[in-house]
Structures are given as structure tokens and as C-alpha cells.
Amino acid sequence: MTSFNETAIISYVELRIKEYCKEMEATNQGDLEHDIILGKIEAYNEFLEQFGYDRVACALK
């Protein structure tokens, strides 16, 4: 059973990943901004995995 705080934090992290995915769509692969956003997504996903949650993937278009 998870606490309210844990659930709220995980929800926030998942939301941030989805927002970063949308931002990343507006950049070109290989651009510095694209790589920075990709790094943030990876860091958040590592955080989720550390606490036993599934990774959040960006939808491919």
C-alpha cells in the first residue's frame, strides 16, 4: 500500500515526463535542447524505477 504523498509524487513525476515528451516533439533530434529534455526524461524514469514503478515512454509519431 502506498501513501498519499508517494502517490502524489509519482503522479507529478509521470505528468512531468509527459510534458517533457510534448516539449521534445517540438525540437529536432540531435539538437542540444532535444538532448537536454531527453536527459530529464531519463532521470525521471530512473527515479520511478528506483521505487518500483514502470517507466513512462514518449509516444512515437
Side-chain angles (χ1 to χ4, degrees):
M1 177 132 172
T2 59
S3 69
F4 171 77
N5 286 338
E6 182 178 343
T7 303
I9 291 168
I10 297 305
S11 294
Y12 171 79
V13 169
E14 290 174 341
L15 177 65
R16 288 300 299 151
I17 292 172
K18 291 174 185 174
E19 289 173 351
Y20 282 137
C21 287
K22 287 180 184 175
E23 286 180 33
M24 195 169 65
E25 287 177 8
T27 64
N28 295 320
Q29 190 171 2
D31 287 350
L32 180 59
E33 186 66 27
H34 181 275
D35 294 342
I36 290 170
I37 295 169
L38 188 59
K40 291 177 181 181
I41 292 169
E42 182 62 27
Y44 275 131
N45 272 318
E46 288 179 12
F47 176 84
L48 290 174
E49 286 181 330
Q50 190 75 15
F51 291 96
Y53 292 89
D54 294 330
R55 297 174 68 84
V56 176
C58 294
L60 298 175
K61 290 193 174 188

